[in-house]
Amino acid sequence: MATLTPEAPEAPRSTSGRHPVPPRPAPHPHVVATWAIFIGLLAMCVWSAYDLGINPVTIFERLANGVDFLSRLVPPEFPEPGRLIELTLTTLAIVFLATLFSVVTSVPIAIFAAVNTTTGMVSRQTARIIMIFCRAAPDLVFAIILIRVFGPANGALIGIIAMGLSSIGMVGKLLADNIEDVNRGPSEAIQAAGGARWQWIHSTVIPQILPQIIAHGLHRMDINLRNSVLLGFVGVPGIGAALSTAMNTRQWQLVMGLAIIITVLCIFMELLSGAIRTQLMGRDGSGRRRGILGVIDRIAHNNWVTAPTETHQVQRTRNGAVRTSPQWDAGRIQRFFGWLVLIGLVVAAVWDIQINWQVLTNTVTNFPEVVSRFFPPDGRGLYWDRFFPALVETVQIGFASLLLGLFIALPIGAMAARNVAPTPGIAKFFRIVIVVCRAFPELVLAIILVVILGFNATAGVLALAFGSIGLLSKLVADSLEESDTRVQDAVRASGANRLQTFFAATVRQTAPATIAHILYQLDVNIRAATLLGVLGLGIGFDLLEASTRNRYDILSLIILNILAVVVVLELISMYVRKVVR
Amino acid sequence: MAQSMMATDASFTSSEERSIQLRNVTKQFGEVTALNDINIDFAPQKINVLLGLSGSGKSTLLRHINGLHKPTSGEVVTLGTEVHRAGARKLRMLRREVGMIFQHFHLVESMSVLENVCTGKLGSLGGPRLGLFMYPKEVKEQAMEQLARVGLADKAFNRADALSGGQMQRVAIARALIQEPKVLLADEPVAALDPVSSATVMNLIGKIAKEDNLTVVCSLHQVELALEFSDRIIGLRGGELVMDRDASTLSLKEAHEIYSAVAVVTDEEIEQQVPELAGITTEQQS
């Protein structure tokens, strides 16, 4: 080695000798197809915005002109306190039971859908089809069908089942993913000990996904609370129904008052579910629990219960029996009261909504007859003149609001990510912006915009665009923060500036996640666009019309159309997510 | 008292009932042959160690004994049950009598230690259990006794993930013992542990095997541990049986032969796993 001279030719490295640089391969057909889909979707967005006449100048003009109408909304008027409490409790009871129903039903469906716990191909595909169907149909559609079946006397029950069913799609999908991610070792251990399938699923899979079950449930409760308002427009009791009545009778001040109450409830629910999550999972750096449980923990440390110390002798209770359940330490108190509260809430909620069992049993016997009225679907000659253009308008609202939302949501999302924002202060500021946007229920915003702009597509587009700021920028910020910072450090170490680092290291890493989020947002927006029908826009309006006029054949035709659009979107986004990694 | 009676009982049972036989067992995963024509009779009530590198087929062989894997061809008879043709129900019956512990312990980390031990009894309980309160009191008492036996009675109500690796493996042993097994299978029980915990766990397995007259089949990749703890060493290499001898009468020379038979890596084996690295070992040696 010492004789090495500068002129000595560099020894060929074995790797380069064995592997010559390959020519750049032609792009895979899937990649080409994906680009085509992107360009197609973007074209759809631009065309939709153009066709609906959405452009920033007119929007600002009309907003400025419409602000006068805001005076109609003030001062907000509230229902009397007794009625207000009654409405709130009804809404909360329905939302709680719907969420509970969806979680309890989702767990077995997820077990059948997850590859490691399913019993076979047939049951797996069946479970997946159920989930896709539940995801595809918005809860409003379920509610409209159910209200025809159960009759209007059972509004609360309809709300519970409608929201419950449509939640199964999302909760079940997430839980199935969680089940596929669990540590499979314990399951093998129980199999090796002679445990049957249901035994090892109960003893090893369920305990491992329990935190996720609770987290998804809390998250879904937030969403259901927002959706419950909408269901009020088809006869589900609670604040939504009051809002619907106020809208129909043009009592704008009461509308504003109810809108404020809904917003406050949503914020309260968000805080509550956040607090519960921290209680269940949060321990700070020192391993101490925060909140009430932390207090219990600390009291328990002061000789409330004595920790056993004998390693080779069984623990015994004070009267000498072998101890078979834990001492009343902080953990047991938490579990005990957790269950107690849950059971108490179920009882209270069931008592509150007062299911009309008489009507229920009557209608269940009529069920086949009612269902048969939905078939065959028939547009009564109005399809091409009325329903199809309405459907197109709805889809356009979805696309245009995505485009508008993207322009605002992506920069906000990037700025809210700690590892992208120039200073932590800026990141914190934009995080707060996102939280505030998320807190406003889209429907409330849509109502205010409808008051300002009148019943037209611009109001819908603006409302949905605002909604995508809350969701999309949060998702984008989260995935940016989850990106591998070591790559960013490496690029920065080579002398790149902040912007270069962002595009070279961060964007490419998070591109798959971001694309998935954007597609998800498109999905959300188009679904939400159908729901704007309650405000008199697009296909949703015809849906409600057909429902109130008992036109079952038109109803089923429109529902099939909506399902078709949602399923096509779902297939596209499934395909793109598979290709883009 | 109850335990000593059990021990005498067990010593009366014929060794035939505690036997494990593999005849011409071949196992293929797709193209890969994991086991190639293996014939072994494991020594009853002794500690049998399967020695070999990773990928030599130790784990696959172990999983044939309780039917977690079924042979592509050949016969496996465990405790009189024909594993290769047993249905699900019959396999579960067999597995009640065969305890198993794993390299990564395979405890449910969010569950209490006591409940983890109770799950070992699921095979003979029937029906799902959703929490500690759903197990019969006798099972919970047995679980507590087994925890005392492995020296972790004080941890009974801690979450499993609050324990160290060595403690977790002892809990896993307690979970296997609550089955009152006749055979204990151990798949690399100490590979994830530090030397001190390894010694504790291996000593515990040896002690329990003697007390309960267990037939132990344990896979290891450390020759020293195998020499120290086993009654019999079975060497595997690339899915083939390369060695089988009594470990009690081993000379140092023979011990070195074991090294060269199972523990020294050849270039070919490196080539199979990481082609770019082949040649490095020979360069270093020259």
Side-chain angles (χ1 to χ4, degrees), chain A residues 219 222-223 226 263 266-267 270 273 277 431-442 466-475 478:
Chain A
H219 179 212
D222 270 2
I223 299 175
R226 283 146 201 263
T263 311
C266 287
I267 294 172
E270 185 107 12
S273 71
R277 257 177 295 214
R431 276 285 175 186
I432 293 171
V433 171
I434 292 175
V435 169
V436 171
C437 288
R438 268 170 71 75
F440 277 101
E442 279 166 37
F466 191 79
S468 29
I469 299 174
L471 181 59
L472 187 56
S473 45
K474 177 181 185 298
L475 292 174
D478 286 352

PDB file of all heavy atoms in Angstrom, chain A residues 219 222-223 226 263 266-267 270 273 277 431-442 466-475 478:
ATOM      1  N   HIS A 219     -62.256   9.155  17.633  1.00  0.00           N
ATOM      2  CA  HIS A 219     -62.134   9.925  16.397  1.00  0.00           C
ATOM      3  C   HIS A 219     -63.456   9.902  15.633  1.00  0.00           C
ATOM      4  O   HIS A 219     -63.946  10.913  15.143  1.00  0.00           O
ATOM      5  CB  HIS A 219     -61.004   9.320  15.550  1.00  0.00           C
ATOM      6  CG  HIS A 219     -60.804  10.025  14.250  1.00  0.00           C
ATOM      7  ND1 HIS A 219     -60.387   9.392  13.125  1.00  0.00           N
ATOM      8  CD2 HIS A 219     -60.997  11.305  13.911  1.00  0.00           C
ATOM      9  CE1 HIS A 219     -60.319  10.263  12.134  1.00  0.00           C
ATOM     10  NE2 HIS A 219     -60.679  11.426  12.583  1.00  0.00           N
ATOM     11  N   ASP A 222     -66.183  12.197  16.967  1.00  0.00           N
ATOM     12  CA  ASP A 222     -66.052  13.562  16.438  1.00  0.00           C
ATOM     13  C   ASP A 222     -66.779  13.690  15.106  1.00  0.00           C
ATOM     14  O   ASP A 222     -67.582  14.603  14.904  1.00  0.00           O
ATOM     15  CB  ASP A 222     -64.566  13.859  16.153  1.00  0.00           C
ATOM     16  CG  ASP A 222     -63.877  14.461  17.352  1.00  0.00           C
ATOM     17  OD1 ASP A 222     -64.546  14.595  18.384  1.00  0.00           O
ATOM     18  OD2 ASP A 222     -62.687  14.785  17.244  1.00  0.00           O
ATOM     19  N   ILE A 223     -66.448  12.766  14.184  1.00  0.00           N
ATOM     20  CA  ILE A 223     -67.021  12.837  12.834  1.00  0.00           C
ATOM     21  C   ILE A 223     -68.541  12.679  12.905  1.00  0.00           C
ATOM     22  O   ILE A 223     -69.284  13.419  12.255  1.00  0.00           O
ATOM     23  CB  ILE A 223     -66.403  11.744  11.943  1.00  0.00           C
ATOM     24  CG1 ILE A 223     -64.895  11.960  11.826  1.00  0.00           C
ATOM     25  CG2 ILE A 223     -67.051  11.728  10.573  1.00  0.00           C
ATOM     26  CD1 ILE A 223     -64.182  10.881  11.067  1.00  0.00           C
ATOM     27  N   ARG A 226     -70.480  15.754  13.869  1.00  0.00           N
ATOM     28  CA  ARG A 226     -70.656  16.681  12.752  1.00  0.00           C
ATOM     29  C   ARG A 226     -71.753  16.186  11.805  1.00  0.00           C
ATOM     30  O   ARG A 226     -72.597  16.953  11.341  1.00  0.00           O
ATOM     31  CB  ARG A 226     -69.344  16.835  11.970  1.00  0.00           C
ATOM     32  CG  ARG A 226     -68.348  17.727  12.696  1.00  0.00           C
ATOM     33  CD  ARG A 226     -66.920  17.277  12.481  1.00  0.00           C
ATOM     34  NE  ARG A 226     -66.093  17.817  13.548  1.00  0.00           N
ATOM     35  CZ  ARG A 226     -65.386  18.919  13.438  1.00  0.00           C
ATOM     36  NH1 ARG A 226     -65.399  19.609  12.312  1.00  0.00           N
ATOM     37  NH2 ARG A 226     -64.674  19.353  14.439  1.00  0.00           N
ATOM     38  N   THR A 263     -71.000  24.367  16.898  1.00  0.00           N
ATOM     39  CA  THR A 263     -69.553  24.573  16.875  1.00  0.00           C
ATOM     40  C   THR A 263     -68.957  24.352  18.257  1.00  0.00           C
ATOM     41  O   THR A 263     -67.939  23.675  18.412  1.00  0.00           O
ATOM     42  CB  THR A 263     -69.235  25.996  16.388  1.00  0.00           C
ATOM     43  OG1 THR A 263     -69.971  26.243  15.196  1.00  0.00           O
ATOM     44  CG2 THR A 263     -67.761  26.166  16.129  1.00  0.00           C
ATOM     45  N   CYS A 266     -68.795  20.710  18.988  1.00  0.00           N
ATOM     46  CA  CYS A 266     -67.721  20.045  18.261  1.00  0.00           C
ATOM     47  C   CYS A 266     -66.373  20.291  18.926  1.00  0.00           C
ATOM     48  O   CYS A 266     -65.561  19.376  19.083  1.00  0.00           O
ATOM     49  CB  CYS A 266     -67.672  20.528  16.810  1.00  0.00           C
ATOM     50  SG  CYS A 266     -69.016  19.873  15.822  1.00  0.00           S
ATOM     51  N   ILE A 267     -66.154  21.548  19.332  1.00  0.00           N
ATOM     52  CA  ILE A 267     -64.888  21.864  19.998  1.00  0.00           C
ATOM     53  C   ILE A 267     -64.792  21.103  21.317  1.00  0.00           C
ATOM     54  O   ILE A 267     -63.770  20.506  21.649  1.00  0.00           O
ATOM     55  CB  ILE A 267     -64.768  23.388  20.235  1.00  0.00           C
ATOM     56  CG1 ILE A 267     -64.669  24.105  18.886  1.00  0.00           C
ATOM     57  CG2 ILE A 267     -63.568  23.715  21.106  1.00  0.00           C
ATOM     58  CD1 ILE A 267     -64.740  25.612  18.988  1.00  0.00           C
ATOM     59  N   GLU A 270     -63.962  17.515  20.657  1.00  0.00           N
ATOM     60  CA  GLU A 270     -62.563  17.388  20.259  1.00  0.00           C
ATOM     61  C   GLU A 270     -61.659  17.423  21.494  1.00  0.00           C
ATOM     62  O   GLU A 270     -60.766  16.601  21.647  1.00  0.00           O
ATOM     63  CB  GLU A 270     -62.223  18.549  19.311  1.00  0.00           C
ATOM     64  CG  GLU A 270     -60.845  18.482  18.719  1.00  0.00           C
ATOM     65  CD  GLU A 270     -60.878  18.104  17.249  1.00  0.00           C
ATOM     66  OE1 GLU A 270     -61.982  18.117  16.674  1.00  0.00           O
ATOM     67  OE2 GLU A 270     -59.829  17.781  16.701  1.00  0.00           O
ATOM     68  N   SER A 273     -62.225  14.164  23.613  1.00  0.00           N
ATOM     69  CA  SER A 273     -61.608  12.944  23.104  1.00  0.00           C
ATOM     70  C   SER A 273     -60.094  13.044  23.201  1.00  0.00           C
ATOM     71  O   SER A 273     -59.418  12.051  23.483  1.00  0.00           O
ATOM     72  CB  SER A 273     -62.065  12.640  21.674  1.00  0.00           C
ATOM     73  OG  SER A 273     -61.520  13.557  20.782  1.00  0.00           O
ATOM     74  N   ARG A 277     -57.852  10.389  25.307  1.00  0.00           N
ATOM     75  CA  ARG A 277     -56.689   9.729  24.710  1.00  0.00           C
ATOM     76  C   ARG A 277     -55.444   9.923  25.570  1.00  0.00           C
ATOM     77  O   ARG A 277     -54.675   8.996  25.787  1.00  0.00           O
ATOM     78  CB  ARG A 277     -56.443  10.258  23.304  1.00  0.00           C
ATOM     79  CG  ARG A 277     -56.921   9.283  22.246  1.00  0.00           C
ATOM     80  CD  ARG A 277     -56.732   9.861  20.879  1.00  0.00           C
ATOM     81  NE  ARG A 277     -57.593  11.035  20.702  1.00  0.00           N
ATOM     82  CZ  ARG A 277     -58.157  11.366  19.544  1.00  0.00           C
ATOM     83  NH1 ARG A 277     -57.937  10.657  18.490  1.00  0.00           N
ATOM     84  NH2 ARG A 277     -58.933  12.415  19.449  1.00  0.00           N
ATOM     85  N   ARG A 431     -50.314  25.413  13.172  1.00  0.00           N
ATOM     86  CA  ARG A 431     -51.023  24.312  13.833  1.00  0.00           C
ATOM     87  C   ARG A 431     -52.326  24.825  14.446  1.00  0.00           C
ATOM     88  O   ARG A 431     -53.366  24.171  14.363  1.00  0.00           O
ATOM     89  CB  ARG A 431     -50.155  23.702  14.945  1.00  0.00           C
ATOM     90  CG  ARG A 431     -49.186  22.678  14.466  1.00  0.00           C
ATOM     91  CD  ARG A 431     -49.881  21.362  14.148  1.00  0.00           C
ATOM     92  NE  ARG A 431     -48.927  20.434  13.575  1.00  0.00           N
ATOM     93  CZ  ARG A 431     -49.229  19.257  13.082  1.00  0.00           C
ATOM     94  NH1 ARG A 431     -50.482  18.845  13.063  1.00  0.00           N
ATOM     95  NH2 ARG A 431     -48.321  18.477  12.580  1.00  0.00           N
ATOM     96  N   ILE A 432     -52.234  25.999  15.051  1.00  0.00           N
ATOM     97  CA  ILE A 432     -53.433  26.564  15.675  1.00  0.00           C
ATOM     98  C   ILE A 432     -54.457  26.908  14.608  1.00  0.00           C
ATOM     99  O   ILE A 432     -55.657  26.632  14.764  1.00  0.00           O
ATOM    100  CB  ILE A 432     -53.063  27.815  16.520  1.00  0.00           C
ATOM    101  CG1 ILE A 432     -52.223  27.369  17.714  1.00  0.00           C
ATOM    102  CG2 ILE A 432     -54.313  28.547  16.991  1.00  0.00           C
ATOM    103  CD1 ILE A 432     -51.606  28.487  18.501  1.00  0.00           C
ATOM    104  N   VAL A 433     -53.985  27.475  13.462  1.00  0.00           N
ATOM    105  CA  VAL A 433     -54.898  27.760  12.352  1.00  0.00           C
ATOM    106  C   VAL A 433     -55.647  26.494  11.951  1.00  0.00           C
ATOM    107  O   VAL A 433     -56.872  26.492  11.794  1.00  0.00           O
ATOM    108  CB  VAL A 433     -54.117  28.328  11.142  1.00  0.00           C
ATOM    109  CG1 VAL A 433     -55.020  28.409   9.919  1.00  0.00           C
ATOM    110  CG2 VAL A 433     -53.551  29.690  11.477  1.00  0.00           C
ATOM    111  N   ILE A 434     -54.898  25.394  11.813  1.00  0.00           N
ATOM    112  CA  ILE A 434     -55.524  24.131  11.407  1.00  0.00           C
ATOM    113  C   ILE A 434     -56.572  23.701  12.421  1.00  0.00           C
ATOM    114  O   ILE A 434     -57.689  23.313  12.066  1.00  0.00           O
ATOM    115  CB  ILE A 434     -54.449  23.034  11.244  1.00  0.00           C
ATOM    116  CG1 ILE A 434     -53.557  23.362  10.052  1.00  0.00           C
ATOM    117  CG2 ILE A 434     -55.097  21.673  11.064  1.00  0.00           C
ATOM    118  CD1 ILE A 434     -52.398  22.416   9.886  1.00  0.00           C
ATOM    119  N   VAL A 435     -56.204  23.759  13.703  1.00  0.00           N
ATOM    120  CA  VAL A 435     -57.142  23.324  14.743  1.00  0.00           C
ATOM    121  C   VAL A 435     -58.424  24.150  14.687  1.00  0.00           C
ATOM    122  O   VAL A 435     -59.531  23.609  14.787  1.00  0.00           O
ATOM    123  CB  VAL A 435     -56.481  23.419  16.141  1.00  0.00           C
ATOM    124  CG1 VAL A 435     -57.509  23.224  17.231  1.00  0.00           C
ATOM    125  CG2 VAL A 435     -55.376  22.400  16.266  1.00  0.00           C
ATOM    126  N   VAL A 436     -58.259  25.467  14.471  1.00  0.00           N
ATOM    127  CA  VAL A 436     -59.439  26.333  14.409  1.00  0.00           C
ATOM    128  C   VAL A 436     -60.310  25.957  13.210  1.00  0.00           C
ATOM    129  O   VAL A 436     -61.531  25.827  13.317  1.00  0.00           O
ATOM    130  CB  VAL A 436     -59.017  27.812  14.342  1.00  0.00           C
ATOM    131  CG1 VAL A 436     -60.224  28.696  14.061  1.00  0.00           C
ATOM    132  CG2 VAL A 436     -58.357  28.225  15.640  1.00  0.00           C
ATOM    133  N   CYS A 437     -59.662  25.736  12.036  1.00  0.00           N
ATOM    134  CA  CYS A 437     -60.429  25.351  10.847  1.00  0.00           C
ATOM    135  C   CYS A 437     -61.157  24.043  11.066  1.00  0.00           C
ATOM    136  O   CYS A 437     -62.292  23.855  10.622  1.00  0.00           O
ATOM    137  CB  CYS A 437     -59.504  25.209   9.637  1.00  0.00           C
ATOM    138  SG  CYS A 437     -58.898  26.772   9.040  1.00  0.00           S
ATOM    139  N   ARG A 438     -60.468  23.100  11.739  1.00  0.00           N
ATOM    140  CA  ARG A 438     -61.077  21.793  11.968  1.00  0.00           C
ATOM    141  C   ARG A 438     -62.288  21.902  12.890  1.00  0.00           C
ATOM    142  O   ARG A 438     -63.221  21.125  12.793  1.00  0.00           O
ATOM    143  CB  ARG A 438     -60.072  20.846  12.602  1.00  0.00           C
ATOM    144  CG  ARG A 438     -59.309  20.025  11.613  1.00  0.00           C
ATOM    145  CD  ARG A 438     -58.182  19.298  12.305  1.00  0.00           C
ATOM    146  NE  ARG A 438     -58.678  18.231  13.166  1.00  0.00           N
ATOM    147  CZ  ARG A 438     -59.140  17.078  12.703  1.00  0.00           C
ATOM    148  NH1 ARG A 438     -59.180  16.850  11.426  1.00  0.00           N
ATOM    149  NH2 ARG A 438     -59.551  16.144  13.539  1.00  0.00           N
ATOM    150  N   ALA A 439     -62.211  22.849  13.800  1.00  0.00           N
ATOM    151  CA  ALA A 439     -63.273  22.942  14.801  1.00  0.00           C
ATOM    152  C   ALA A 439     -64.600  23.321  14.165  1.00  0.00           C
ATOM    153  O   ALA A 439     -65.655  22.889  14.614  1.00  0.00           O
ATOM    154  CB  ALA A 439     -62.891  23.955  15.870  1.00  0.00           C
ATOM    155  N   PHE A 440     -64.565  24.142  13.076  1.00  0.00           N
ATOM    156  CA  PHE A 440     -65.820  24.572  12.461  1.00  0.00           C
ATOM    157  C   PHE A 440     -66.435  23.453  11.654  1.00  0.00           C
ATOM    158  O   PHE A 440     -65.839  22.976  10.698  1.00  0.00           O
ATOM    159  CB  PHE A 440     -65.570  25.768  11.544  1.00  0.00           C
ATOM    160  CG  PHE A 440     -65.533  27.056  12.282  1.00  0.00           C
ATOM    161  CD1 PHE A 440     -64.336  27.658  12.593  1.00  0.00           C
ATOM    162  CD2 PHE A 440     -66.717  27.652  12.685  1.00  0.00           C
ATOM    163  CE1 PHE A 440     -64.302  28.832  13.301  1.00  0.00           C
ATOM    164  CE2 PHE A 440     -66.690  28.839  13.384  1.00  0.00           C
ATOM    165  CZ  PHE A 440     -65.476  29.427  13.688  1.00  0.00           C
ATOM    166  N   PRO A 441     -67.637  23.030  11.989  1.00  0.00           N
ATOM    167  CA  PRO A 441     -68.287  22.018  11.166  1.00  0.00           C
ATOM    168  C   PRO A 441     -68.577  22.609   9.788  1.00  0.00           C
ATOM    169  O   PRO A 441     -69.003  23.761   9.683  1.00  0.00           O
ATOM    170  CB  PRO A 441     -69.585  21.731  11.919  1.00  0.00           C
ATOM    171  CG  PRO A 441     -69.419  22.334  13.257  1.00  0.00           C
ATOM    172  CD  PRO A 441     -68.443  23.433  13.125  1.00  0.00           C
ATOM    173  N   GLU A 442     -68.292  21.817   8.735  1.00  0.00           N
ATOM    174  CA  GLU A 442     -68.477  22.302   7.376  1.00  0.00           C
ATOM    175  C   GLU A 442     -69.892  22.800   7.145  1.00  0.00           C
ATOM    176  O   GLU A 442     -70.114  23.792   6.466  1.00  0.00           O
ATOM    177  CB  GLU A 442     -68.192  21.179   6.380  1.00  0.00           C
ATOM    178  CG  GLU A 442     -66.726  20.987   6.110  1.00  0.00           C
ATOM    179  CD  GLU A 442     -66.477  19.674   5.416  1.00  0.00           C
ATOM    180  OE1 GLU A 442     -67.311  19.284   4.581  1.00  0.00           O
ATOM    181  OE2 GLU A 442     -65.453  19.038   5.722  1.00  0.00           O
ATOM    182  N   PHE A 466     -62.877  25.198   2.531  1.00  0.00           N
ATOM    183  CA  PHE A 466     -62.498  25.552   3.893  1.00  0.00           C
ATOM    184  C   PHE A 466     -62.341  24.278   4.736  1.00  0.00           C
ATOM    185  O   PHE A 466     -61.400  24.147   5.510  1.00  0.00           O
ATOM    186  CB  PHE A 466     -63.566  26.465   4.491  1.00  0.00           C
ATOM    187  CG  PHE A 466     -63.156  27.084   5.781  1.00  0.00           C
ATOM    188  CD1 PHE A 466     -62.312  28.184   5.798  1.00  0.00           C
ATOM    189  CD2 PHE A 466     -63.614  26.574   6.988  1.00  0.00           C
ATOM    190  CE1 PHE A 466     -61.936  28.757   6.991  1.00  0.00           C
ATOM    191  CE2 PHE A 466     -63.228  27.146   8.185  1.00  0.00           C
ATOM    192  CZ  PHE A 466     -62.393  28.244   8.187  1.00  0.00           C
ATOM    193  N   GLY A 467     -63.269  23.342   4.525  1.00  0.00           N
ATOM    194  CA  GLY A 467     -63.193  22.077   5.269  1.00  0.00           C
ATOM    195  C   GLY A 467     -61.914  21.326   4.958  1.00  0.00           C
ATOM    196  O   GLY A 467     -61.321  20.708   5.839  1.00  0.00           O
ATOM    197  N   SER A 468     -61.470  21.390   3.666  1.00  0.00           N
ATOM    198  CA  SER A 468     -60.257  20.619   3.350  1.00  0.00           C
ATOM    199  C   SER A 468     -59.016  21.244   3.978  1.00  0.00           C
ATOM    200  O   SER A 468     -58.026  20.560   4.158  1.00  0.00           O
ATOM    201  CB  SER A 468     -60.077  20.450   1.843  1.00  0.00           C
ATOM    202  OG  SER A 468     -60.632  21.500   1.124  1.00  0.00           O
ATOM    203  N   ILE A 469     -59.076  22.531   4.322  1.00  0.00           N
ATOM    204  CA  ILE A 469     -57.918  23.105   5.023  1.00  0.00           C
ATOM    205  C   ILE A 469     -57.713  22.355   6.328  1.00  0.00           C
ATOM    206  O   ILE A 469     -56.608  21.945   6.657  1.00  0.00           O
ATOM    207  CB  ILE A 469     -58.129  24.603   5.319  1.00  0.00           C
ATOM    208  CG1 ILE A 469     -58.301  25.369   4.017  1.00  0.00           C
ATOM    209  CG2 ILE A 469     -56.945  25.168   6.096  1.00  0.00           C
ATOM    210  CD1 ILE A 469     -58.649  26.821   4.226  1.00  0.00           C
ATOM    211  N   GLY A 470     -58.815  22.183   7.052  1.00  0.00           N
ATOM    212  CA  GLY A 470     -58.703  21.530   8.353  1.00  0.00           C
ATOM    213  C   GLY A 470     -58.137  20.128   8.235  1.00  0.00           C
ATOM    214  O   GLY A 470     -57.185  19.773   8.922  1.00  0.00           O
ATOM    215  N   LEU A 471     -58.714  19.320   7.330  1.00  0.00           N
ATOM    216  CA  LEU A 471     -58.324  17.909   7.265  1.00  0.00           C
ATOM    217  C   LEU A 471     -57.011  17.732   6.516  1.00  0.00           C
ATOM    218  O   LEU A 471     -56.051  17.149   7.030  1.00  0.00           O
ATOM    219  CB  LEU A 471     -59.443  17.118   6.582  1.00  0.00           C
ATOM    220  CG  LEU A 471     -59.203  15.627   6.458  1.00  0.00           C
ATOM    221  CD1 LEU A 471     -59.016  15.009   7.823  1.00  0.00           C
ATOM    222  CD2 LEU A 471     -60.368  14.974   5.751  1.00  0.00           C
ATOM    223  N   LEU A 472     -56.952  18.261   5.273  1.00  0.00           N
ATOM    224  CA  LEU A 472     -55.807  17.980   4.402  1.00  0.00           C
ATOM    225  C   LEU A 472     -54.517  18.561   4.961  1.00  0.00           C
ATOM    226  O   LEU A 472     -53.487  17.888   4.996  1.00  0.00           O
ATOM    227  CB  LEU A 472     -56.091  18.542   3.004  1.00  0.00           C
ATOM    228  CG  LEU A 472     -55.070  18.196   1.928  1.00  0.00           C
ATOM    229  CD1 LEU A 472     -54.912  16.688   1.820  1.00  0.00           C
ATOM    230  CD2 LEU A 472     -55.501  18.759   0.587  1.00  0.00           C
ATOM    231  N   SER A 473     -54.565  19.804   5.443  1.00  0.00           N
ATOM    232  CA  SER A 473     -53.300  20.367   5.915  1.00  0.00           C
ATOM    233  C   SER A 473     -52.836  19.682   7.184  1.00  0.00           C
ATOM    234  O   SER A 473     -51.641  19.544   7.411  1.00  0.00           O
ATOM    235  CB  SER A 473     -53.397  21.889   6.113  1.00  0.00           C
ATOM    236  OG  SER A 473     -54.581  22.219   6.769  1.00  0.00           O
ATOM    237  N   LYS A 474     -53.760  19.167   7.968  1.00  0.00           N
ATOM    238  CA  LYS A 474     -53.335  18.409   9.148  1.00  0.00           C
ATOM    239  C   LYS A 474     -52.632  17.128   8.720  1.00  0.00           C
ATOM    240  O   LYS A 474     -51.550  16.804   9.213  1.00  0.00           O
ATOM    241  CB  LYS A 474     -54.535  18.066  10.021  1.00  0.00           C
ATOM    242  CG  LYS A 474     -54.126  17.214  11.202  1.00  0.00           C
ATOM    243  CD  LYS A 474     -55.295  16.835  12.060  1.00  0.00           C
ATOM    244  CE  LYS A 474     -54.815  16.079  13.290  1.00  0.00           C
ATOM    245  NZ  LYS A 474     -54.139  14.828  12.956  1.00  0.00           N
ATOM    246  N   LEU A 475     -53.252  16.404   7.775  1.00  0.00           N
ATOM    247  CA  LEU A 475     -52.652  15.157   7.322  1.00  0.00           C
ATOM    248  C   LEU A 475     -51.280  15.406   6.692  1.00  0.00           C
ATOM    249  O   LEU A 475     -50.324  14.674   6.940  1.00  0.00           O
ATOM    250  CB  LEU A 475     -53.578  14.474   6.304  1.00  0.00           C
ATOM    251  CG  LEU A 475     -54.890  13.939   6.863  1.00  0.00           C
ATOM    252  CD1 LEU A 475     -55.783  13.427   5.753  1.00  0.00           C
ATOM    253  CD2 LEU A 475     -54.626  12.834   7.857  1.00  0.00           C
ATOM    254  N   ASP A 478     -48.743  16.252   9.364  1.00  0.00           N
ATOM    255  CA  ASP A 478     -48.361  15.056  10.120  1.00  0.00           C
ATOM    256  C   ASP A 478     -47.389  14.192   9.330  1.00  0.00           C
ATOM    257  O   ASP A 478     -46.388  13.715   9.856  1.00  0.00           O
ATOM    258  CB  ASP A 478     -49.607  14.236  10.481  1.00  0.00           C
ATOM    259  CG  ASP A 478     -50.401  14.893  11.585  1.00  0.00           C
ATOM    260  OD1 ASP A 478     -49.897  15.884  12.155  1.00  0.00           O
ATOM    261  OD2 ASP A 478     -51.517  14.427  11.876  1.00  0.00           O
TER     262      ASP A 478
END
